[in-house]
Structure formats: structure tokens, C-alpha cells
Amino acid sequence: MSSAPAAGVDGQEKVIAAAQHIVKSLATSKNAADDMIRILSRFDHRLSSLYPDSPDTPNMDPSSSSPSSSADALKAILAQLEAAEKVVMQWDSSDSLLFESSSDVILQYFASVDDLIAISATSSSLSAEDGYDIHLRAENVLQLAMSRLEEELHPLLIRNTVSLDATGLSCSLRRLSLSFPSSEADFDTSSEFDPADTATPTSSLAPNTPHHPLLEDPSLDLIRHEAISDLRDIADRMIRAGYAKELVQVYCSIRKDVIDECLSILGVERLSIDEVQHMEWRLLDEKMKKWIQGVKIVIRSLLSGERRLCENIFASSEEIQEECFIEITKGCVLQLLNFGDAVAIIPRSAEKLFRIIDMYEVVKNEVLRELRILYPGELGSSIYREADGILKRLGDAVKGTLFDFGFQVQRENSRRPMQAGEIHPLTRYVMNYMRLLVVYSETLECLLGDDEGFTLDTINTDDDTESLGSMTPYGRRLYAIISYLEANLEEKSNLYEDGGLRCIFLMNNIFYIYNKVKDSELGRILGDHWLRRRRGKIRQYSKTYLRVSWTKVLSYLRDDSLSGGSSGSSGHSSKVALREKFRNFNVAFEEIHRVQTTWKVPDPQMREEIKISISEQVIPAYRAFVGRYGPQVDGGRHSNKYIKYSTEDLESHLSELFEGLSGVPNHSRRRA
């Protein structure tokens, strides 16, 4: 009979001991105390009835606690555990989504989770021996609550993800593609190729070049703003409850899929090095353009937006912010960088250079700078190092391609001469290529700044020593390429049997080179001395042409071996010689006219200047010769056969030279 009261006393003592243990833990742990106060604050009305003498929360100091007050506190905790358990179990058996309910319901669930976390944290040292396995019970219920939040996290993320505008972005990229026609070309001299008409570097795009709005507005968030608070509430509770691993796994798996979808919309594919190396150039060029645009959007908008999301959602843990951001974005960044790495080692060719420089500039000016900001910690340092290595390899590809281009120009060996002596396709190609290169002067100056090992041993530089002394390594490289071109043109001029046409060919091509340099940044780089030297060469070719083509014609207008007599055998011989001179002049002039009307001097000013030079030599000599000896021929039989042209006729025929005519016009016959 006495055992029952003894058992009651023993049970009461255990309750008191457990309560005192909780009180003691509250006094030694600030976080535990905060959690418990949050629980007990909800029981003010209950505790006030237990403590009628005090309007305040009970004094939890162990030294002042009575056994009855400790027991009452424990009862309050148990009641709160039961209330939280009821809420959690109700949703555990429900097929509905918590976050499709009202805000009051969501707040109630979060409050229950907060209670469970607090109870679990403050009761972790209680054992079954105390008779109240509070900790284990709280942990079990908390596990169910975390499973529910984990399940809710997935649809909440999916439902509130904002997708890129695939249609609008595709149209924008397609317009951009049209503004970047391929610069593919080789040195096939069977057709004229002008890269200025077919290739535009990214750096030189006009201001109205289409850009996606993401490039202008980097403040992109791919989760609706109104969902951020709910996601942060879930994340905060899963982290405090010790379920950060599960939280990170769900969040990262969904966000990585979103980033991958964005890359797909941007047209950035996952390609192997082998695929890139064996890709046809036009297709690769398109992918390089999309990569350049895509990298800008990813770096400026997607990654910075993802960083902001991590900071907002995981505000309670900087470590998890960093872990999630790197886990979500590392694959995307490496995919982009791997394409750049593959491009850096593809076989070199001239038409790829501008696109590679574009990629180099994007990595240098945007990717590296932003990566340093986005991945400041040790975890992100490997990504930055990878990008820095790819930048160096792209730079090496640029230098190597430019070096190879010079040798391509030097070794180009087409053997078919330009029939009209006009500008060679190689000249057009190289000089327009050079004009495009200067768009990248700043980048190339940096890349070639340490290119001191480059020499010009294969080029005769005696005439340009003054220019070379003031040039940067980049300027000397451009000088070398043009010098290779000039030397090649000299070789090609030897294909012409007609010395006059050889001079016209060289004059046309050097004048074209001169104009392309003079009217661009090339003029500043190569200097005034270089320009004066080329202008001198042009004048020299013009003088040589006059000598080669017109010396023989003019020789028939000299009066050597002619006597002024008009009687006897001597006069007859003189008249015969005179008629022969007129006849020979006519034949020679007509032959020059027949041939040189098919020759071509494309530049109108140059064409007019050389015609004037011819007229200044031919017309006065012909006028003087006809004036002196015309009367001796005029009046004889068939005299019109010898003096076929007036000076006006000659001037008219000379005006037809170098027009590149396909047929020969009829020679009009007029008498002065």
C-alpha cells in the first residue's frame, strides 16, 4: 500500500530533476535560452495562472526555481511539443501543398517548426531514464517537418522560376548573326575578295547593333521576387534544424537545370574539343558569335543574378551561400571556358583571327573581372585560374595566327596575272584585313608587347629604317605583313611580258596599299616616312611606264635623219622617210591604244594624272612634228593615209586609256 505514494514521489522527483536540468541549460546557452523563451512566451496566459504573484515570465534562474515551477515549465514544453506535432502530422498525411494555402496556415506551420527546433536543441541532454524522451520525440517530428519542407521546396522553386524569353532572345541573336557575316576566304585569286565587305569585328559594331536587353540590364533574377521570402524561410529552418545537406541538394539540382536551359536558349552548346576542331568553319563561326554574346549575358546577368539569389535565400549562412553558388554555376562556367579552350587549339587560319580576338577580349575584359568578384573565396579560385589559363591560350592563338598570316602572304604563289593590270585580290584581301586588325590595336599592342624576338631579316628594310625605329612590336608586325605583300607583288609583276603593264600593275597595287594606310589608323602606326616612301614608289612606277610604253612612239616624232629639202632625189628620199615616220607613229599609237584601253587604273584621280602625263609628252611632240613636216606630206597622193590624226583626235584617244574596255573603239578620222 505504501508503494504507490512512493512511486508518485519518485515520478515527481524525476519531473523536477528534468525541469531543473532544462532550466540549467537555459542559463548556460544563449541560443537555447532564446529558443525556450520563444516557446514559453506563447504560454504567458498559462504561466501567469501558475505564478499569480508575478506578471512577468517566470524567473528561470535555477537558484530561485522551486520544484513546482520547474515542473510547470516542463509541462508547458510538452504541451507545445504536442501542439507542434499535431500541426506537422496533419500536413504529413495531406496531399495538398502547404505553400498553396493561406499565409496564416504557412505561418502556423513555420511557428511549429520553430518550436520543434527549439525543443530539440534544449532537450538534447534528456534521456529516457527521466521518463520523458522529449528530445527523441521532437527529433522525430522535426524530421517529418523537414521532409515536408524539402518536398515543398521543389515545386516552390519550379513554379516561381522565371525563364528567359526564348523567342525574343533567339530573334535578337539571329539579327546579331546577320550583322556578323562570315569572314571566310582564302587567297584564291580567281575572284576578287574584299574582307571589308564580308567581315565585321565585334569591337567595331555600330551603336544600333541588336543586343539582348539582358546586356543592358544586368539586374536579372530568375525567381519571382514574391517567392524569395518563402524560400528564405524554408532555408533558414532547414539550416537551423541541421538539414543543410538536403536543402543544398534540392536547391542546386533545380537551379543547375535552369542555368543549363538558359545556355541552351542562348545557343551555347556543350561541345567536345574534337567536335570543335573538326567543325566546318561557317558553322563554327556562328557558334563563336553565339558564345561571345552568350558569355556576356551569363557573366553580366545570369551569374550575378544567381549570386544575389543565394545571398537572399541563404542569408543565415555565408558558407552555404558560397557552396550553393559554386555548385550551381561551376558547370556552366566550365562549359563556356571549355569551348574557349577548344577554339584556342583549333588549326589556325586567317579568317578565324578576328573571332578569336573577340573571344580573347571578352575573357580578358569581362569574364576574368566578373569571376574575381563572383568567386572571391578559395572554393572559386580554381575557376578563376582555369579562365586565366584559357585567356593565355587564346592570346597565344592570336599571336600564332597573326604570325602565320604574314607567312601566308609571303608564300602566296598564284601564277595567273591580272590581265588588265588592276589591283590583285591578294592586295585587297591583305589591306582590308589590316584595316580590320587596327580595330583591335589596343589588344594587339598588349599581346605583342613582349614580341621582341620577332625580326625582319627576310625583308629589305634599308629604306624604312627611320620608320622602324619608332614603331612598337605591334607596328613592326604590321609593317612586316605589308612588306611581305609588296615583295610578293614584285614577284607577280614579273609574270607580265609587257613592261608597261608591269608598271601599271605595281602602280595600281602600291597606290591601293598607300590609300588604305593613309586613310586609317595604319597611317599613324606606320608613320609619315613610310607614306612618303610609298608615294615616291608610285611616282617612279608612273615615270617608268611612260618611258617603257611611249619612248618608241615618240621616237617617230623626232626629226633626226630628215632633211628639209624638197627637190631631187634627196627630197624624194626625205619625203619617203617622213611618210615612214608618220606611218610608224600611227601603227605604234594605234597598237598602244588598242592594248592600253583594256588596261585598268581603278582610281579616277590616278587614271587622270597618268593620262595628263602622257598627253604632256605626246601631244606637244605630235603637234610640233605635224606642224613642221605635215606640209611636205600634205597634198601628195594618199596623204591622209599618213597624217591620220589631228591633235584633238589624239587627245580623244588618250582619254580612252586605262578604262578596262573589253572592245576596241573605231578610230575616227579627222583633219586638223
Side-chain angles (χ1 to χ4, degrees):
M1 296 292 293
S2 61
S3 61
V9 172
D10 185 58
Q12 184 178 12
E13 289 176 351
K14 287 187 175 182
V15 170
I16 293 171
Q20 288 176 333
H21 187 87
I22 293 174
V23 171
K24 186 182 295 183
S25 68
L26 291 175
T28 57
S29 171
K30 183 180 185 301
N31 291 336
D34 290 342
D35 288 336
M36 187 57 68
I37 288 171
R38 181 163 49 242
I39 296 172
L40 296 178
S41 66
R42 297 193 178 94
F43 286 84
D44 285 346
H45 63 288
R46 300 186 196 179
L47 295 178
S48 61
S49 63
L50 296 174
Y51 299 90
D53 298 332
S54 174
D56 302 321
T57 302
N59 184 356
M60 303 303 290
D61 186 344
S63 62
S64 62
S65 298
S66 65
S68 60
S69 64
S70 298
D72 289 336
L74 184 58
K75 289 179 182 178
I77 293 171
L78 289 172
Q80 187 63 16
L81 174 59
E82 290 174 358
E85 183 178 40
K86 180 179 179 182
V87 173
V88 170
M89 296 303 295
Q90 176 185 351
W91 279 100
D92 187 61
S93 60
S94 174
D95 293 331
S96 302
L97 288 174
L98 173 64
F99 286 90
E100 290 181 350
S101 303
S102 67
S103 58
D104 290 340
V105 172
I106 297 172
L107 289 174
Q108 181 191 37
Y109 194 89
F110 279 150
S112 298
V113 172
D114 290 338
D115 291 345
L116 290 169
I117 294 172
I119 294 170
S120 176
T122 57
S123 62
S124 58
S125 60
L126 295 179
S127 66
E129 295 177 359
D130 297 319
Y132 297 95
D133 198 356
I134 298 175
H135 178 71
L136 181 59
R137 183 177 173 184
E139 280 290 305
N140 288 337
V141 179
L142 186 60
Q143 182 177 1
L144 293 176
M146 291 299 106
S147 296
R148 161 59 69 170
L149 291 182
E150 186 178 339
E151 291 174 4
E152 294 281 343
L153 183 62
H154 191 283
L156 187 62
L157 281 169
I158 296 296
R159 188 168 61 249
N160 288 283
T161 293
V162 180
S163 298
L164 285 180
D165 179 6
T167 304
L169 182 58
S170 298
C171 292
S172 178
L173 292 176
R174 187 161 54 250
R175 291 196 306 274
L176 182 70
S177 175
L178 294 175
S179 71
F180 282 111
S182 172
S183 59
E184 180 182 14
D186 53 24
F187 293 130
D188 179 10
T189 56
S190 62
S191 62
E192 292 191 7
F193 174 75
D194 190 342
D197 296 332
T198 56
T200 304
T202 302
S203 300
S204 65
L205 287 177
N208 60 351
T209 298
H211 285 288
H212 192 266
L214 293 181
L215 293 178
E216 280 72 42
D217 180 16
S219 58
L220 173 71
D221 287 322
L222 292 181
I223 291 181
R224 291 185 179 88
H225 182 73
E226 56 268 23
I228 300 295
S229 177
D230 289 339
L231 291 169
R232 183 168 53 245
D233 286 339
I234 292 176
D236 177 64
R237 285 156 178 84
M238 292 187 73
I239 292 170
R240 286 196 290 117
Y243 285 77
K245 181 179 178 181
E246 291 79 1
L247 167 69
V248 169
Q249 183 177 0
V250 173
Y251 183 83
C252 290
S253 66
I254 294 173
R255 296 307 300 167
K256 281 197 291 187
D257 288 344
V258 172
I259 295 296
D260 287 344
E261 182 183 355
C262 290
L263 288 182
S264 177
I265 293 172
L266 291 169
V268 179
E269 302 176 41
R270 194 182 302 275
L271 299 169
S272 68
I273 292 178
D274 186 67
E275 287 175 314
V276 173
Q277 287 191 321
H278 292 90
M279 192 173 293
E280 189 267 335
W281 164 238
R282 290 188 182 274
L283 179 59
L284 178 59
D285 185 46
E286 286 297 314
K287 295 190 181 302
M288 291 169 76
K289 288 182 289 188
K290 289 182 178 180
W291 184 90
I292 292 165
Q293 185 82 338
V295 164
K296 292 179 181 180
I297 293 175
V298 168
I299 293 296
R300 295 182 192 176
S301 299
L302 295 186
L303 295 189
S304 58
E306 204 63 38
R307 165 63 81 177
R308 285 193 303 275
L309 283 176
C310 288
E311 291 173 351
N312 287 329
I313 293 172
F314 308 110
S316 61
S317 173
E318 291 185 3
E319 181 180 350
I320 293 178
Q321 291 175 24
E322 191 72 12
E323 179 185 353
C324 281
F325 178 69
I326 291 175
E327 177 67 20
I328 292 165
T329 60
K330 184 176 182 179
C332 157
V333 174
L334 291 180
Q335 179 181 335
L336 291 169
L337 294 178
N338 287 341
F339 181 81
D341 203 20
V343 168
I345 60 175
I346 58 176
R348 296 169 183 166
S349 59
E351 70 272 10
K352 298 171 185 174
L353 178 61
F354 299 117
R355 211 63 75 203
I356 295 176
I357 300 177
D358 289 335
M359 292 178 66
Y360 175 88
E361 289 185 338
V362 167
V363 174
K364 179 183 178 182
N365 300 329
E366 301 202 32
V367 172
L368 284 181
R369 183 186 67 231
E370 294 297 328
L371 289 184
R372 189 179 290 280
I373 297 171
L374 291 168
Y375 301 94
E378 183 61 29
L379 288 174
S381 61
S382 61
I383 298 176
Y384 183 88
R385 288 195 299 270
E386 180 72 16
D388 192 50
I390 289 170
L391 178 71
K392 289 181 173 62
R393 289 190 285 278
L394 285 171
D396 290 340
V398 170
K399 291 190 286 187
T401 302
L402 192 59
F403 185 81
D404 288 351
F405 177 70
F407 282 102
Q408 283 182 292
V409 174
Q410 189 179 29
R411 294 192 300 262
E412 197 282 319
N413 59 357
S414 58
R415 304 297 297 172
R416 192 180 71 178
M418 307 304 293
Q419 295 301 316
E422 68 270 35
I423 300 164
H424 199 282
L426 176 63
T427 306
R428 293 185 183 276
Y429 181 95
V430 172
M431 293 313 301
N432 285 286
Y433 198 91
M434 300 290 282
R435 288 278 292 265
L436 296 180
L437 275 177
V438 298
V439 173
Y440 299 98
S441 289
E442 184 176 347
T443 297
L444 292 173
E445 285 281 10
C446 294
L447 275 173
L448 299 175
D450 58 352
D451 201 19
E452 298 294 345
F454 173 66
T455 63
L456 301 172
D457 295 340
T458 58
I459 308 171
N460 181 9
T461 60
D462 293 342
D463 294 336
D464 292 316
T465 303
E466 181 181 339
S467 295
L468 288 168
S470 61
M471 289 182 192
T472 63
Y474 167 59
R476 288 195 290 273
R477 177 72 69 179
L478 299 184
Y479 170 90
I481 293 173
I482 296 178
S483 297
Y484 292 145
L485 172 61
E486 291 174 326
N488 197 316
L489 292 171
E490 285 282 350
E491 289 293 323
K492 293 185 186 307
S493 71
N494 293 324
L495 298 172
Y496 295 101
E497 295 181 3
D498 191 311
L501 185 54
R502 178 179 183 272
C503 291
I504 293 296
F505 170 76
L506 289 171
M507 183 186 71
N508 280 334
N509 283 269
I510 299 302
F511 185 71
Y512 184 87
I513 293 171
Y514 169 84
N515 274 337
K516 287 291 183 179
V517 171
K518 177 176 66 71
D519 297 334
S520 73
E521 184 68 9
L522 285 168
R524 182 194 63 79
I525 295 171
L526 297 178
D528 292 338
H529 179 77
W530 186 96
L531 290 168
R532 288 194 299 271
R533 290 289 307 166
R534 271 61 195 174
R535 188 68 187 176
K537 283 186 176 183
I538 294 166
R539 286 194 298 269
Q540 187 59 47
Y541 289 135
S542 177
K543 291 178 181 178
T544 303
Y545 157 77
L546 289 172
R547 187 182 70 252
V548 171
S549 287
W550 293 96
T551 296
K552 184 177 180 180
V553 177
L554 293 172
S555 70
Y556 298 126
L557 300 180
R558 291 197 295 267
D559 57 3
D560 54 316
S561 74
L562 293 176
S563 63
S566 59
S567 63
S569 60
S570 174
H572 177 73
S573 298
S574 177
K575 185 173 292 189
V576 170
L578 188 60
R579 289 174 177 174
E580 188 65 20
K581 278 186 173 287
F582 274 110
R583 183 186 300 110
N584 290 337
F585 172 82
N586 293 335
V587 171
F589 179 80
E590 288 167 4
E591 178 62 16
I592 285 180
H593 181 272
R594 183 186 68 81
V595 172
Q596 295 192 14
T597 51
T598 65
W599 295 1
K600 189 172 184 179
V601 176
D603 184 79
Q605 182 178 349
M606 178 62 66
R607 185 167 62 246
E608 191 61 28
E609 286 179 4
I610 196 168
K611 288 178 181 179
I612 291 172
S613 297
I614 297 169
S615 295
E616 288 175 346
Q617 292 199 25
V618 174
I619 298 302
Y622 184 76
R623 182 184 291 113
F625 193 78
V626 171
R628 181 173 182 182
Y629 297 106
Q632 298 181 36
V633 176
D634 204 17
R637 294 181 62 188
H638 310 297
S639 60
N640 289 343
K641 182 170 63 175
Y642 304 110
I643 306 178
K644 295 175 64 173
Y645 303 106
S646 67
T647 54
E648 290 80 4
D649 291 332
L650 289 186
E651 288 178 343
S652 176
H653 291 319
L654 289 176
S655 69
E656 296 169 350
L657 300 180
F658 312 120
E659 299 288 345
L661 303 176
S662 57
V664 181
N666 294 327
H667 293 170
S668 61
R669 182 174 182 275
R670 289 178 52 199
R671 293 299 305 273

